[in-house]
Amino acid sequence: MKINISYTLLLLVTLLFSGIANGQNNGIEGKITDHEGPVPFANLYLKGSTYGTSANEDGFFTLEKIPAGTYILKVSAIGYQNFSKKITFDKNQNKTLNIELIQASEQLEEMVVSGTLKAVSRSESPVPVEVYSPTFLKKNPTASIFEALQNVNGVRPQINCNVCNTGDIHINGLEGPYTLVLIDGMPIVSGLGTVYGLSGIPNSLIEQIEIVKGPASSLYGSEAVGGLINIITKNALDAPTFFADSFVTGWGELNVDVGAKMKIGEKTNVLLGVNYFNYSNPIDNNGDNFTDLTLQDRISVFQKWDFQRKESRLFSLAGRYFYEDRWGGEMQWTPEFRGGDEIYGESIYTSRWEILGKYQLPIAEKVLFSFSYNDHSQNSVYGDTPYIADQRIGFAQFTWDKKIKKHDFLVGTALRYNYYDDNTTATVSADEVVIPSLFVQDEIALATQHSLLLGMRYDYDERHGSIYTPRMAYRYKITDNDILRFNAGTGFRVVNLFTEEHAALTGARDVIVTEELDPEQSYNANVNYLKKIYADNGTFISLDASLFYTHFTNAILPDYDTNPNQIIYDNLDGKSVSKGASANIDFVFPNGFKFLIGATIQDVSQTENGITQRQILTESYTGTWNASYEFRKLNLSVDYSGNLYGPMRLPTLGESDPRSDYSPVWSIQNIQFTWKGLENFEFYGGVKNLLDWTPNRGNPFIIARANDPFDRNVTFDANGDAVATPNNPNALTFDPSYVYGPNQGIRGFFGLRYRID
């Protein structure tokens, strides 16, 4: 009997352990990738258990000996949205799961530098910074950064000329000169460069684009009044070995982007990028005998050197050369008519080169030397009016980054050299000035969840004297997924009229400057709330909402209304105000559907002599969206993007002008299909401007007196005002400044990307 009992117990124990062993003989393996390739060293774990692992450098992972049951698999990697999936194991199941992580446009874990001049995670920055990755740019492929920003909430590319199609970037309704554009943190795209040089930055070399809305003059000086856009290029170590991207459109546009990296010796990595764009097919769909889209031929070459040094100290050097030949005008224009008064054309030759670098000093303290220099040469004619200009900007800056207990200091000094000369009467002699600056910033860790940033900058401009720009930022990290920020500060802008207001050079309006222009000053406050939600089913939601208010004194705005034949510039004797609210909501669902929607409501006005009116060319509301869906089994993704703009006041030529004083509500929408079924290749194509919207809808014409661009048949009175005649019943003069959107209608496009890691 004892033997039988012992045998039975032994059998039961054996069966029990066998069952446990079988119950734990479950496993899962697979590969973690993004849309471009493997994601190395991602973390994986089963929620509510002790089971977890990490992917290797090629993205492969294995998780073994998992007990039977139902789990939530969590996957995380820096720079990607978290991934969640419910998994059930019975017995002896070995599952294969390949996971594609998403590089969302909004991520709290991304590293940003634009808000504080320090690399910090987005969640830790006291200054709200919006981040847009190359993935975002690819959802609506464009030939320039200028066009790519059309789907960023609160940011609008403004075309300033119907003929030559030059433009600038508006942030929260503020004119382009209020926006500072940086490359790798260096203010080299300004003045002439903002108007003509924002194209030609190879998209293949962009790591991310950071946008700060609101004054940033306390760190960056003049021009960072309304906000800044920082285009950060890739580090050579992280760039693909080779990258090519090219597309063509139904209008005949061709864009080619090529990038490559190479290693020179053991400690030097070089990144090379080339962008070429050509459009040489004159089209006049609106029938005014003027080109709807400016013809362009441009090339940009970019090279960046990264040097490996002891203790990982930074040393990088980059350079870019840009050349563009663009023209627009009457359809029969050819280069032999350039500068003459027989056939009207606007022809612009732009030659520009830039160099920038960063060098960390070989000392115990963290001291960084940054420098940049650019030379911009402009040879332009607008009909028979020449505009020849040269601009050179040099910039050098030392920053000392020091932490002392709860204080994180940044102390710096900068020297900026500005040279500008043109052939207009507004520039009697070359404008040359050296502006020294000092700035200090202290970020104080008040408590675990609270931080306070205080900053002050001092600039001395011999034309205007001493300029002070303080700022303050407060961050309250309610939870890891809830952040509240409050920012307040000041900004200033020193104006060079002809580098920023293109309407002053085109058309028949006279430019009147009534006084010596003083620097503009702004006072800003904004509140920002950022929240992210991770649901157990893998759904991700991000909310980014802001309230903003900016008050300007000494504002310099073009006056188109007082005299329809003039553009009058002076310092506003009153105030200019930009206020409103904006929000972005980002949805990502585990079934492959992604949706990003943004909206901005704004009121931009100017008050002078007790009269308040809405600022010209400023919409009262905007909307942007991007919807994406991935058919994973087909290796196919679909992207539907678009924008919506409310009415804006337009520069008409007086009460007799038959053109509408306000634009309609208008929208540009695009759809794209991308197939990734062939290794290293991506094929994409779609339709741009699905609604075939152009600004001539509802208007008798867009360009006034397009049939008489030199005003030969216009009769003027003794005061120089046009008078009504049978030939000119509305008393108009030639005027191409009535523009608020692109004239380019619906078109298809097709492209190919090739990448070797």
Side-chain angles (χ1 to χ4, degrees):
M1 185 70 181
K2 290 182 179 179
I3 295 175
N4 291 336
I5 293 175
S6 300
Y7 176 79
T8 302
L9 290 174
L10 178 62
L11 180 61
L12 290 173
V13 171
T14 302
L15 291 173
L16 177 62
F17 277 95
S18 175
I20 293 174
N22 288 334
Q24 288 186 326
N25 195 23
N26 298 298
I28 183 172
E29 64 181 9
K31 185 177 182 180
I32 300 176
T33 62
D34 61 12
H35 72 289
E36 295 179 337
V39 176
F41 311 119
N43 295 313
L44 304 92
Y45 72 96
L46 300 179
K47 185 177 179 181
S49 75
T50 59
Y51 291 87
T53 187
S54 296
N56 65 16
E57 60 183 5
D58 296 317
F60 290 102
F61 70 92
T62 301
L63 192 56
E64 299 176 325
K65 299 180 180 179
I66 304 172
T70 298
Y71 303 91
I72 299 296
L73 174 65
K74 293 279 191 178
V75 184
S76 63
I78 293 178
Y80 296 87
Q81 293 182 4
N82 291 349
F83 174 89
S84 300
K85 184 177 179 62
K86 182 183 289 186
I87 299 179
T88 300
F89 294 100
D90 294 327
K91 294 182 180 180
N92 299 322
Q93 286 187 314
N94 289 301
K95 298 188 177 186
T96 299
L97 179 63
N98 293 321
I99 300 168
E100 182 174 347
L101 296 183
I102 298 168
Q103 297 176 337
S105 59
E106 299 293 332
Q107 265 294 296
L108 287 175
E109 288 78 17
E110 288 173 320
M111 301 301 291
V112 296
V113 297
S114 302
T116 60
L117 279 180
K118 297 182 179 184
V120 297
S121 69
R122 185 165 170 251
S123 62
E124 298 300 320
S125 173
V127 178
V129 181
E130 295 183 15
V131 181
Y132 297 91
S133 68
T135 302
F136 178 86
L137 301 178
K138 289 178 181 178
K139 293 180 183 296
N140 180 30
T142 61
S144 69
I145 297 298
F146 177 81
E147 296 176 67
L149 295 174
Q150 64 183 275
N151 287 329
V152 175
N153 180 31
V155 177
R156 182 171 67 86
Q158 166 66 38
I159 296 176
N160 292 327
C161 173
N162 250 316
V163 181
C164 65
N165 291 167
T166 54
D168 50 34
I169 302 296
H170 291 201
I171 293 181
N172 288 344
L174 297 177
E175 295 283 342
Y178 296 97
T179 300
L180 178 65
V181 181
L182 312 167
I183 298 180
D184 288 337
M186 294 290 99
I188 60 177
V189 182
S190 57
L192 281 171
T194 301
V195 178
Y196 303 100
L198 199 53
S199 303
I201 300 172
N203 288 352
S204 60
L205 300 183
I206 295 175
E207 178 67 25
Q208 64 188 38
I209 297 176
E210 299 181 6
I211 298 177
V212 177
K213 298 174 181 176
S217 292
S218 61
L219 282 182
Y220 297 97
S222 179
E223 298 170 13
V225 179
L228 66 89
I229 299 171
N230 190 5
I231 301 167
I232 299 175
T233 61
K234 290 182 181 293
N235 185 297
L237 291 172
D238 302 326
T241 302
F242 178 80
F243 184 92
D245 184 353
S246 179
F247 68 84
V248 294
T249 75
W251 275 47
E253 299 161 285
L254 169 66
N255 186 75
V256 180
D257 237 350
V258 178
K261 74 173 180 181
M262 60 202 79
K263 195 172 182 66
I264 300 178
E266 292 295 323
K267 297 183 178 180
T268 304
N269 293 279
V270 181
L271 186 62
L272 176 66
V274 179
N275 172 257
Y276 176 72
F277 178 79
N278 179 270
Y279 172 66
S280 53
N281 181 34
I283 293 177
D284 177 26
N285 285 340
N286 61 18
D288 60 4
N289 195 42
F290 272 72
T291 53
D292 290 346
L293 179 66
T294 302
L295 287 82
Q296 302 172 55
D297 191 21
R298 71 168 179 259
I299 188 168
S300 175
V301 180
F302 178 90
Q303 192 172 62
K304 185 176 182 179
W305 296 61
D306 286 296
F307 303 91
Q308 298 179 36
R309 301 173 58 209
K310 293 181 179 180
E311 299 181 12
S312 299
R313 291 192 177 99
L314 179 65
F315 182 25
S316 66
L317 187 65
R320 183 173 78 116
Y321 176 74
F322 171 88
Y323 178 80
E324 182 181 67
D325 175 2
R326 69 162 60 203
W327 76 268
E330 294 186 90
M331 292 290 288
Q332 62 270 34
W333 188 92
T334 55
E336 55 263 30
F337 295 108
R338 191 177 196 267
D341 61 358
E342 186 176 352
I343 303 296
Y344 188 89
E346 297 185 359
S347 172
I348 303 170
Y349 301 147
T350 301
S351 178
R352 176 183 177 90
W353 61 270
E354 307 157 352
I355 186 171
L356 61 153
K358 295 182 179 182
Y359 179 78
Q360 186 176 344
L361 272 59
I363 57 178
E365 297 293 335
K366 191 175 180 180
V367 179
L368 184 67
F369 173 60
S370 306
F371 60 92
S372 67
Y373 185 83
N374 72 77
D375 186 295
H376 188 113
S377 178
Q378 192 77 39
N379 183 328
S380 312
V381 292
Y382 303 89
D384 57 356
T385 303
Y387 173 60
I388 312 298
D390 289 291
Q391 177 178 271
R392 294 187 283 274
I393 298 177
F395 182 81
Q397 177 176 274
F398 282 95
T399 56
W400 176 38
D401 187 352
K402 182 69 174 179
K403 291 185 178 181
I404 303 176
K405 295 183 178 180
K406 294 184 177 183
H407 297 266
D408 191 350
F409 289 101
L410 182 73
V411 181
T413 180
L415 192 69
R416 178 165 174 156
Y417 167 76
N418 282 0
Y419 173 90
Y420 176 77
D421 191 22
D422 66 28
N423 65 319
T424 68
T425 56
T427 308
V428 178
S429 60
D431 181 14
E432 190 171 17
V433 64
V434 176
I435 303 174
S437 308
L438 295 171
F439 58 90
V440 61
Q441 175 180 279
D442 180 16
E443 185 175 350
I444 309 167
L446 300 176
T448 305
Q449 297 172 292
H450 302 267
S451 64
L452 176 67
L453 182 144
L454 302 174
M456 169 68 78
R457 182 183 179 101
Y458 168 75
D459 292 81
Y460 180 77
D461 188 324
E462 62 184 20
R463 299 165 298 182
H464 306 291
S466 298
I467 302 173
Y468 300 92
T469 46
R471 77 160 172 173
M472 168 278 260
Y474 168 73
R475 180 181 64 91
Y476 174 32
K477 192 172 184 179
I478 305 169
T479 69
D480 288 341
N481 298 330
D482 295 84
I483 300 172
L484 183 66
R485 297 180 175 95
F486 174 75
N487 279 245
T490 64
F492 76 96
R493 184 171 74 99
V494 177
V495 176
N496 190 310
L497 183 63
F498 285 94
T499 65
E500 57 199 37
E501 183 49 61
H502 188 80
L505 296 167
T506 184
R509 295 186 190 234
D510 293 325
V511 176
I512 306 297
V513 181
T514 62
E515 61 186 0
E516 183 176 348
L517 301 177
D518 293 327
E520 294 186 349
Q521 292 183 317
S522 69
Y523 305 87
N524 168 273
N526 68 71
V527 179
N528 173 262
Y529 176 64
L530 188 59
K531 181 178 181 61
K532 63 176 183 176
I533 301 170
Y534 295 100
D536 287 342
N537 66 353
T539 300
F540 170 78
I541 303 173
S542 172
L543 170 66
D544 186 348
S546 297
L547 299 173
F548 59 88
Y549 180 90
T550 305
H551 179 107
F552 293 90
T553 60
N554 287 339
I556 301 169
L557 300 171
D559 177 2
Y560 293 86
D561 301 319
T562 300
N563 187 326
N565 296 309
Q566 297 177 342
I567 305 175
I568 301 172
Y569 293 91
D570 60 6
N571 284 114
L572 185 67
D573 185 15
K575 66 179 181 179
S576 177
V577 172
S578 169
K579 58 186 177 182
S582 68
N584 287 313
I585 303 178
D586 195 354
F587 297 91
V588 180
F589 299 95
N591 62 0
F593 181 72
K594 292 170 280 187
F595 195 76
L596 173 64
I597 184 170
T600 298
I601 300 174
Q602 60 194 19
D603 179 11
V604 184
S605 63
Q606 58 193 70
T607 302
E608 190 167 25
N609 300 323
I611 300 174
T612 299
Q613 63 178 345
R614 193 162 134 199
Q615 188 167 304
I616 203 164
L617 291 172
T618 302
E619 64 279 10
S620 57
Y621 59 86
T622 65
T624 57
W625 65 86
N626 190 295
S628 302
Y629 185 77
E630 295 183 31
F631 299 90
R632 290 166 179 161
K633 293 183 179 180
L634 300 177
N635 296 308
L636 179 69
S637 61
V638 182
D639 296 291
Y640 168 55
S641 60
N643 50 51
L644 179 74
Y645 299 109
M648 61 185 75
R649 194 164 66 91
L650 301 175
T652 55
L653 294 175
E655 294 182 359
S656 62
D657 192 331
R659 296 174 295 181
S660 174
D661 291 327
Y662 284 85
S663 68
V665 177
W666 57 283
S667 173
I668 293 180
Q669 301 174 26
N670 319 285
I671 191 167
Q672 175 185 250
F673 300 88
T674 305
W675 185 70
K676 307 174 187 176
L678 192 60
E679 186 176 4
N680 297 333
F681 285 90
E682 287 185 21
F683 298 88
Y684 61 93
V687 180
K688 290 181 178 290
N689 198 353
L690 283 164
L691 304 180
D692 196 24
W693 178 89
T694 55
N696 60 297
R697 287 189 181 181
N699 269 310
F701 50 83
I702 295 297
I703 299 176
R705 299 287 296 174
N707 63 320
D708 185 20
F710 295 100
D711 287 340
R712 290 192 178 94
N713 298 314
V714 177
T715 302
F716 297 92
D717 62 18
N719 296 322
D721 297 327
V723 297
T725 63
N727 174 270
N728 186 17
N730 300 113
L732 303 178
T733 57
F734 175 65
D735 176 38
S737 63
Y738 184 95
V739 59
Y740 56 94
N743 287 317
Q744 194 175 16
I746 189 171
R747 60 207 181 275
F749 67 95
F750 176 78
L752 168 66
R753 299 187 184 100
Y754 178 69
R755 176 186 175 112
I756 300 176
D757 290 313

